[in-house]
Amino acid sequence: MASRIVLSIVGNRPQYIKAAIVSRAVRAVAGEVLLDTGQHYDHELAGVFYDELDLPRPDIELGVGSASHARQTAAMLTGIAAAIAEVTPQVVLVYGDTNSTLAGALAAAKLNVPVAHVEAGLRSFDRRMPEEVNRVLTDHVASLLFCPTDSAVANLAREGIVAGVVQTGDVMFDLAMATLTPEREETVLAQYGLRPGGYVLATAHRPATTDEPAHLEAVLSALGALPETVIFPAHPRTAASIERFGLAELVTPNVRLSGPIGYTESLALTKNARVVATDSGGLQKEAYFFAVPCVTMRDSSEWVETIQSGWNVLVGTDREALAAALAEPPRGAQHPAFYGRGDAGGRLAVALDAFLTRTETGAGAPGGHVEPLQPDSIQATEDDRP
Ligand code: UD1
């Protein structure tokens, strides 16, 4: 096992969160070298999670920072390729759908190192979203695809990807269930002076919401018209857009705008909100974990189960649609366990171990084209599945 090295790539807020589960799983079956691209660099988007979630410190930091997609991705590609040459990993592991994900996957594929993709198979079917492009491209060069849901497995099958596909359940569900205690909830609510169900939690950070003054104005005015408190922890870009477009006067006294907040604080505020309004992917899912209605300020979602089950509704950035959904939030009749049982990390470790064993025993050579893993050889029994 000493020669087994997995090079894991992180760089954005949601990836640090997922790494809290996945890094542990990787380290149970291999040595891990952690590379941080530095796509996120502000403490409250990056460093805070290392501390709060007790993540191992990165072994390699690229410090890429913000730039156009082309420049940012290119800088990451160069840095990650150099790291691969130095570390000579058996697998490069990437998370989710950001530019850091795509850069890691592409650098590895070009150097014939197998790619493992955590959160594989998600599709919003909207190619205007940079994340959708990142997802599709990453999945098509990956050898090991860890899917959070059955629909993600089905999406991959439709694109002809069946080899190396493992339904693990959702690692963010594992972490949410393992992290939030009733004591922490109480403390957070007391700090904010809130009672359960007595406020709305809102976030917005996507260019489609924040870079268009009319869209941001619609969101702020719908939130401002609510009768209750709105907790609005904003991405630095959102705060900058409010300033730049001169929309500060639309932030009414009931809207408590702040900088980004920590992970457990966010979970506690999600679980106890009357309704969540967001354009984030992760938050739609976290609201569902806690059976809290979600109103999504986007035209599409990759977390289709939350919508199909009636707990989440898409309203774009239309003020009236947003106001109507906030007044009468979606509440599904049932709440199926789409995201597993909180054992996704364990399943991922078993599958990764099996994959590494196959490469070691020559069933497949490094190069991304390991013989297809049969689902039965790497998954728990049918009964065990979520
Ligand atoms: C990125 C991901 C998005 C993910 C989000 C999670 C891509 C294409 N997008 O979006 O999918 O949902 O992370 O939070 O990879 N900025 C700061 N401080 C930072 C980082 C960024 O102020 O630490 C500002 C800069 O003005 C920057 C802008 O945010 O230009 C956008 O940053 P970027 O890394 O391009 O994407 P995010 O919007 O953070």
Side-chain angles (χ1 to χ4, degrees), residues 11-15 38-43 45-46 65-69 72 76 97-101 130-131 134 205-207 235-238 240 279-281:
N12 302 75
R13 174 167 56 180
Q15 292 163 348
Q39 180 173 350
H40 283 174
Y41 43 86
D42 279 343
H43 181 71
L45 290 185
S66 301
S68 69
H69 284 234
Q72 189 180 55
M76 290 178 195
D97 56 16
T98 73
N99 290 347
S100 297
T101 315
E131 291 83 1
N134 293 343
H205 74 282
R206 284 184 194 280
H235 187 290
R237 184 182 33 206
T238 314
D279 63 0
S280 144

Side-chain angles (χ1 to χ4, degrees), residues 220-260:
L220 290 174
S221 84
L223 296 176
L226 286 169
E228 73 237 283
T229 298
V230 178
I231 304 296
F232 192 164
H235 187 290
R237 184 182 33 206
T238 314
S241 291
I242 292 174
E243 196 62 35
R244 184 157 56 103
F245 301 142
L247 299 176
E249 81 271 14
L250 286 184
V251 182
T252 46
N254 69 314
V255 177
R256 287 161 60 177
L257 191 68
S258 72

Side-chain angles (χ1 to χ4, degrees), residues 83-359:
I84 293 173
E86 195 189 317
V87 173
T88 62
Q90 278 65 57
V91 166
V92 169
L93 181 141
V94 296
Y95 293 90
D97 56 16
T98 73
N99 290 347
S100 297
T101 315
L102 177 64
L106 203 49
K110 291 275 186 181
L111 293 169
N112 288 331
V113 178
V115 173
H117 185 200
V118 177
E119 252 184 28
L122 298 180
R123 295 290 180 269
S124 68
F125 303 101
D126 180 358
R127 291 273 171 107
R128 291 168 306 170
M129 287 179 69
E131 291 83 1
E132 182 75 354
V133 175
N134 293 343
R135 285 180 202 120
V136 171
L137 294 176
T138 300
D139 283 339
H140 280 262
V141 295
S143 298
L144 195 46
L145 300 101
F146 300 121
C147 294
T149 60
D150 290 336
S151 66
V153 173
N155 287 339
L156 292 176
R158 266 196 300 276
E159 292 173 22
I161 303 173
V162 288
V165 174
V166 188
Q167 211 278 34
T168 53
D170 191 299
V171 295
M172 282 176 66
F173 182 65
D174 286 26
L175 189 63
M177 294 305 118
T179 309
L180 190 60
T181 60
E183 295 74 34
R184 184 78 178 119
E185 279 179 60
E186 260 178 52
T187 314
V188 171
L189 291 185
Q191 270 166 4
Y192 278 79
L194 298 168
R195 57 176 183 77
Y199 64 96
V200 172
L201 176 66
T203 77
H205 74 282
R206 284 184 194 280
T209 324
T210 64
D211 292 4
E212 183 60 57
H215 293 173
L216 196 49
E217 197 178 324
V219 170
L220 290 174
S221 84
L223 296 176
L226 286 169
E228 73 237 283
T229 298
V230 178
I231 304 296
F232 192 164
H235 187 290
R237 184 182 33 206
T238 314
S241 291
I242 292 174
E243 196 62 35
R244 184 157 56 103
F245 301 142
L247 299 176
E249 81 271 14
L250 286 184
V251 182
T252 46
N254 69 314
V255 177
R256 287 161 60 177
L257 191 68
S258 72
I261 56 176
Y263 173 68
T264 45
E265 193 174 342
S266 172
L267 277 188
L269 290 171
T270 302
K271 185 174 176 188
N272 291 283
R274 176 176 71 79
V275 53
V276 169
T278 190
D279 63 0
S280 144
L283 204 52
Q284 292 173 54
K285 197 171 49 173
E286 286 168 342
Y288 185 86
F289 296 165
F290 299 121
V292 170
C294 185
V295 177
T296 296
M297 302 181 288
R298 275 168 50 181
D299 299 326
S300 63
S301 172
E302 58 281 14
W303 299 106
V304 291
E305 298 83 3
T306 62
I307 294 169
Q308 286 159 359
S309 61
W311 287 91
N312 185 8
V313 64
L314 298 173
V315 295
T317 44
D318 180 73
R319 189 199 179 283
E320 300 319 315
L322 175 58
L326 288 171
E328 261 185 71
R331 191 170 274 282
Q334 269 145 24
H335 189 263
F338 297 125
Y339 300 105
R341 294 180 180 167
D343 59 357
R347 285 161 180 268
L348 190 150
V350 171
L352 181 62
D353 188 37
F355 183 86
L356 288 166
T357 302
R358 286 174 76 85
T359 58

